[in-house]
Amino acid sequence: MNNIIEITSLRKNYGEIKAVNDVSLSVNKGEMFGLVGPDGAGKTTMIRILCGLIIQESGVVKILDKDRSQSRKEIQKNIGYLSQKFSLYGDLSVDENIEFFAEIHNVKDYFKRRDELLDFSRLKPFRNRIAEKLSGGMKQKLALVCCLIHEPKILFLDEPTTGVDPVSRRDFWKILSKLLKDGITIFMSTPYLDEAERCNRVALMNAGEIIALDTPQKIKEKMNKQIIEIVCSPVRIAYQAIKRNTMLEVQMFGDRINVVVENYKLELPSIKKALTENKVQITDERIISPSLENVFMHLIKDAE
Amino acid sequence: MNLNRTRAIAKKEFKHLMRDVRLLAVLVFSPVFLLGVFGYAVNFDVHHIKIVVYDKEQSKISREFINGLTQSTYFDLIGYISDDSYIREVLDTKKAQCVVVIPVDLSQKFYSRQEAKIQYLIDGVDGNTANIIQFYVTAATYSFSSKLSSEVLARSGMRSFLPLNFEPLFWFNPDLKSTRFLIPGLIAMILIVTAAVSVSLSLVREKERGTIEQINVSSIKTSELLIGKTLPNVLLALLNATMILVVGYLLFDVVVKGSILLLFFCTLIFLIACTSIGILVSVISDSQRLAFSIATSLTMLPSFILSGFVFPIESMPVTVQILTNITPAKFFIRILRAIILRDVGVYAFWDQLVYLILFASALLTAAILIYNRKEKNN
């Protein structure tokens, strides 16, 4: 049993919208699998189907070699799910929240596990505090602890670090790497590409479809293009000028633009010409290797 | 069914109840407060009817008649008028609810053995009260009249004789106090509102906060969740029922004549029906605000108007009578009146218990169907 999750031709529609459109993929045991994509790509729908919260129109989901729709009970025992909105009871203390989630999973002897989890999430000093009095980062760690109390084999995380401060995010990732070491499989969705870089494998989802799936490294290599990064101002005018005057793909990032080219030596002069004609100030220009972000923007553009 | 998981949910629900002190205070004390307010305010007994007398004759007989009227607690003599034109004024300004006009020829007609007529002008705006006033004045006039006739007959050496007389006996509520009749209705109304509202709110709260997702991901069953969630609320409602009975006894002398055990058993069945309303509401609504308004409007008015609490169902039009089945309070009030006022056993109202169970099953089925349809479209 190498594929802990096996998805075949999964479909889910909301009226006219195809939220998940013929997706097939498999997740290896013990890996961290990232589902990346823009808002509305269908990431949450995917995770909710995998967790058994909604039912697909068609397709088969196998988790731990068992059919999702047939062995619900056994599967639920072995999965943990952290939804986008941290689901905690604000009026219960840290300990009581954990106790509740242990009990509804029918875990009786949870005290040792609870202490362990509190220890390594560094929540122990706050164990008697009411959950709503915790900081955002602590709340999120507590939510994670609550989904881990029944020792799941697979952990589903839906955008777990959205709206969390950078320090807590780093803490959170430390916990995740410890879980991976313990052999837990993690399936997470994220809008952040720096987080996606840290996954073993990444699937890019757009408009309900998977448009790329591989290790971050291989995805970047497959692009086989060069990127010219130009720091300039005003960025918007530069973006429009290049688009008008060349046929090249331009990506905008804050104070800089990236131009996707086959060969920079051939394209650079015409780009610079277009910029100077439009009175754009160029502060810096360099050739960079494509980042995941470049690749994804490129792929999404192709898909459209 | 796994008892551990059910207990876990109930334990947590209980903690929620105990932590929200303000809500708990409202849930515990508002029923007693409502009972006090309703018990004193909703009262159909008519006493101290304000009367004004226009005595045109001012004779011995007329004064005797007025004395007879005002001796009882039913009538309060406000004053006399001496002209027709004042009649309108005292009724218009609500100084009097009834004006008694004694004809100028009362004594003359009496002595010539003719029938004299006393006129009563009654404020008919409040039809109910007007009816009662009419009943009282008729009775008062009739008794005075028979007293006079017996005096006349006695003078000529004959014994007065009434061919038929009547002696009503009111069972179960001998002095016809309306609070005794109203308190069962109040219990039903208060319980249905608090139970439906608290159950629907506690379920919708999980949806609103998103915690329901975590519960759904666990291997918990819907039945375990529902029983665990409703149990603490049902216990609270039973506590409320007890408090209402105690306060009803202390303030309004309402004693439970029948079996307390039977009363609690029936209350439990009723609470299951109320809970099913709460569950249905929680399936329909996604926010606590919506759940609150649906739950109150589904329970408050029907249990007040359509349950037989205040207005007798038998005198409603047939279509409205059918409509009265939307509130389980209707069935419960019959049971309560049977136990509290009449001390009868379950044989007298088992059909009402069956209706309650049918009601609960119908609503729960509807809730399950709607829930499944919503799930499909999710």
Side-chain angles (χ1 to χ4, degrees):
Chain A
M1 188 188 77
N2 203 24
N3 295 342
I4 199 162
I5 304 174
E6 183 86 58
I7 303 169
T8 336
S9 322
L10 192 67
R11 280 175 203 277
K12 175 78 191 173
N13 301 341
Y14 289 114
E16 291 291 292
I17 301 157
K18 290 174 175 161
V20 176
N21 189 11
D22 196 16
V23 168
S24 299
L25 60 85
S26 52
V27 177
N28 302 325
K29 192 172 178 225
E31 79 173 333
M32 179 181 273
F33 190 93
L35 195 58
V36 198
D39 281 349
K43 301 182 303 250
T44 299
T45 309
M46 273 279 286
I47 290 195
R48 285 166 57 86
I49 292 174
L50 295 180
C51 288
L53 290 168
I54 47 180
I55 295 160
Q56 69 268 33
E57 231 107 292
S58 64
V60 180
V61 176
K62 276 191 168 178
I63 290 177
L64 295 158
D65 266 347
K66 294 200 177 66
D67 194 314
R68 162 89 267 177
S69 50
Q70 277 157 31
S71 327
R72 181 184 166 86
K73 239 180 132 181
E74 251 162 292
I75 293 172
Q76 299 312 90
K77 256 187 244 168
N78 290 306
I79 63 167
Y81 168 56
L82 182 59
S83 60
Q84 231 163 338
K85 188 155 92 162
F86 313 140
S87 321
L88 293 166
Y89 296 99
D91 54 344
L92 300 187
S93 71
V94 171
D95 264 1
E96 284 168 335
N97 267 293
I98 302 173
E99 179 188 324
F100 173 69
F101 286 109
E103 283 174 346
I104 61 166
H105 279 103
N106 225 1
V107 183
K108 282 179 199 99
D109 195 19
Y110 55 87
F111 304 99
K112 200 176 144 238
R113 171 88 175 153
R114 177 169 72 181
D115 284 352
E116 259 172 40
L117 288 168
L118 284 176
D119 252 343
F120 94 96
S121 61
R122 293 192 285 142
L123 281 171
K124 213 167 200 173
F126 311 101
R127 62 189 311 164
N128 292 318
R129 195 179 281 190
I130 295 294
E132 70 190 5
K133 297 258 163 71
L134 296 173
S135 72
M138 285 200 275
K139 272 185 197 159
Q140 174 228 28
K141 280 193 282 186
L142 174 58
L144 181 64
V145 167
C146 288
C147 348
L148 290 170
I149 189 73
H150 60 295
E151 304 188 45
K153 296 200 173 88
I154 311 172
L155 186 58
F156 292 97
L157 307 170
D158 192 5
E159 301 196 7
T161 56
T162 305
V164 172
D165 67 276
V167 178
S168 302
R169 237 170 104 178
R170 254 183 50 201
D171 257 18
F172 192 79
W173 272 89
K174 267 188 210 158
I175 299 176
L176 293 188
S177 31
K178 185 180 178 296
L179 294 174
L180 283 175
K181 242 181 257 162
D182 293 347
I184 292 180
T185 310
I186 298 178
F187 186 105
M188 76 184 306
S189 76
T190 177
Y192 302 122
L193 288 148
D194 59 323
E195 289 190 345
E197 299 260 10
R198 304 169 75 157
C199 293
N200 298 100
R201 285 193 309 143
V202 173
L204 171 66
M205 203 170 179
N206 187 47
E209 290 174 34
I210 304 286
I211 54 179
L213 195 167
D214 216 324
T215 63
Q217 194 51 44
K218 282 208 177 118
I219 286 181
K220 285 187 277 191
E221 283 164 9
K222 268 187 206 157
M223 187 176 177
N224 206 15
K225 303 253 181 189
Q226 292 176 318
I227 306 284
I228 307 171
E229 181 166 84
I230 303 164
V231 183
C232 56
S233 86
V235 182
R236 186 159 285 279
I237 290 175
Y239 174 81
Q240 280 157 356
I242 299 171
K243 273 207 125 167
R244 254 200 323 270
N245 295 312
T246 67
M247 295 297 286
L248 298 169
E249 180 188 344
V250 197
Q251 301 171 348
M252 201 164 33
F253 297 95
D255 67 336
R256 61 198 65 199
I257 52 173
N258 289 0
V259 188
V260 183
V261 293
E262 296 286 349
N263 186 335
Y264 77 94
K265 278 179 189 149
L266 294 174
E267 308 285 359
L268 195 56
S270 58
I271 293 170
K272 284 183 107 171
K273 187 168 160 263
L275 290 181
T276 42
E277 269 171 14
N278 284 281
K279 299 193 181 86
V280 174
Q281 287 275 316
I282 303 175
T283 325
D284 191 18
E285 52 172 272
R286 57 175 177 244
I287 310 301
I288 56 170
S289 55
S291 69
L292 264 186
E293 201 150 5
N294 293 128
V295 180
F296 285 164
M297 285 172 90
H298 175 67
L299 289 173
I300 287 171
K301 190 173 165 285
D302 277 0
E304 281 160 0
Chain B
M1 269 289 282
N2 179 307
L3 282 180
N4 287 326
R5 287 193 296 242
T6 314
R7 203 183 52 212
I9 301 266
K11 192 166 84 182
K12 174 192 75 94
E13 204 55 32
F14 195 67
K15 280 181 192 160
H16 287 321
L17 274 176
M18 299 316 278
R19 302 245 160 115
D20 197 343
V21 181
R22 274 183 303 178
L23 183 69
L24 188 68
V26 170
L27 287 176
V28 170
F29 292 110
S30 67
V32 174
F33 174 74
L34 275 177
L35 176 67
V37 170
F38 271 91
Y40 285 114
V42 184
N43 196 330
F44 299 122
D45 302 344
V46 180
H47 281 278
H48 304 287
I49 300 157
K50 292 181 281 183
I51 56 167
V52 160
V53 176
Y54 179 19
D55 188 355
K56 288 186 180 168
E57 194 190 52
Q58 310 214 348
S59 65
K60 183 173 160 274
I61 297 180
S62 73
R63 273 191 293 271
E64 225 175 279
F65 174 69
I66 294 161
N67 277 340
L69 261 187
T70 50
Q71 256 166 17
S72 72
T73 59
Y74 294 118
F75 299 102
D76 283 354
L77 181 62
I78 298 298
Y80 294 91
I81 51 174
S82 50
D83 194 278
D84 276 331
S85 58
Y86 292 121
I87 294 177
R88 222 201 132 86
E89 192 193 312
V90 291
L91 287 177
D92 274 354
T93 54
K94 297 239 165 221
K95 273 182 193 141
Q97 291 162 281
C98 174
V99 177
V100 184
V101 183
I102 297 167
V104 71
D105 52 357
L106 179 72
S107 308
Q108 189 213 325
K109 281 222 165 132
F110 173 65
Y111 292 121
S112 59
R113 306 219 164 177
Q114 278 178 321
E115 187 185 276
K117 282 205 162 80
I118 293 187
Q119 188 182 30
Y120 295 99
L121 296 140
I122 301 169
D123 179 356
V125 172
D126 174 358
N128 203 20
T129 310
N131 258 330
I132 295 169
I133 296 176
Q134 189 210 355
F135 172 74
Y136 288 163
V137 293
T138 314
T141 314
Y142 172 80
S143 81
F144 185 72
S145 164
S146 69
K147 193 182 124 211
L148 278 185
S149 83
S150 69
E151 274 174 22
V152 170
L153 287 168
R155 229 172 281 150
S156 52
M158 279 195 282
R159 222 161 40 85
S160 88
F161 161 68
L162 268 178
L164 284 176
N165 204 345
F166 66 98
E167 192 179 337
L169 267 180
F170 296 104
W171 275 25
F172 312 126
N173 187 6
D175 30 7
L176 294 182
K177 270 197 193 155
S178 55
T179 42
R180 205 162 278 170
F181 169 76
L182 289 175
I183 280 200
L186 268 177
I187 296 178
M189 184 175 127
I190 291 166
L191 288 187
I192 194 175
V193 175
T194 49
V197 168
S198 63
V199 166
S200 65
L201 284 189
S202 92
L203 284 166
V204 172
R205 201 180 301 131
E206 303 264 355
K207 271 209 257 184
E208 220 176 55
R209 288 187 187 163
T211 41
I212 194 78
E213 296 274 85
Q214 296 301 333
I215 293 174
N216 285 341
V217 165
S218 75
S219 37
I220 202 158
K221 288 193 197 113
T222 316
S223 58
E224 293 163 357
L225 174 69
L226 288 183
I227 293 175
K229 288 233 100 183
T230 50
L231 204 62
N233 291 303
V234 166
L235 287 178
L236 185 71
L238 279 178
L239 177 76
N240 274 333
T242 317
M243 281 174 72
I244 294 173
L245 284 175
V246 170
V247 174
Y249 169 71
L250 293 176
L251 292 184
F252 306 109
D253 288 329
V254 176
V255 187
V256 180
K257 288 188 181 156
S259 147
I260 298 270
L261 210 66
L262 184 63
L263 182 67
F264 271 91
F265 171 73
C266 297
T267 309
L268 196 65
I269 303 277
F270 173 62
L271 285 174
I272 292 171
C274 303
T275 307
S276 68
I277 300 179
I279 291 172
L280 182 63
V281 169
S282 75
V283 171
I284 297 168
S285 38
D286 290 321
S287 72
Q288 290 193 68
R289 224 172 40 185
L290 186 63
F292 183 80
S293 34
I294 296 181
T296 41
S297 56
L298 269 182
T299 52
M300 187 97 84
L301 274 183
S303 68
F304 188 71
I305 296 171
L306 298 174
S307 64
F309 169 21
V310 180
F311 312 109
I313 293 171
E314 292 73 18
S315 50
M316 294 173 184
V318 181
T319 39
V320 180
Q321 284 198 26
I322 294 168
L323 194 68
T324 56
N325 293 314
I326 63 166
T327 175
K330 172 190 170 186
F331 315 120
F332 187 52
I333 287 177
R334 289 186 179 163
I335 296 173
L336 280 180
R337 284 188 180 142
I339 298 177
I340 297 180
L341 302 180
R342 287 191 294 175
D343 181 20
V344 286
V346 79
Y347 66 88
F349 54 75
W350 62 270
D351 50 339
Q352 307 299 324
L353 281 175
V354 173
Y355 292 142
L356 280 179
I357 293 166
L358 283 178
F359 183 91
S361 347
L363 259 67
L364 285 175
T365 315
I368 291 168
L369 289 178
I370 295 172
Y371 180 77
N372 286 343
R373 247 186 81 184
K374 271 194 151 181
E375 280 293 273
K376 247 189 186 166
N377 299 326
N378 227 339

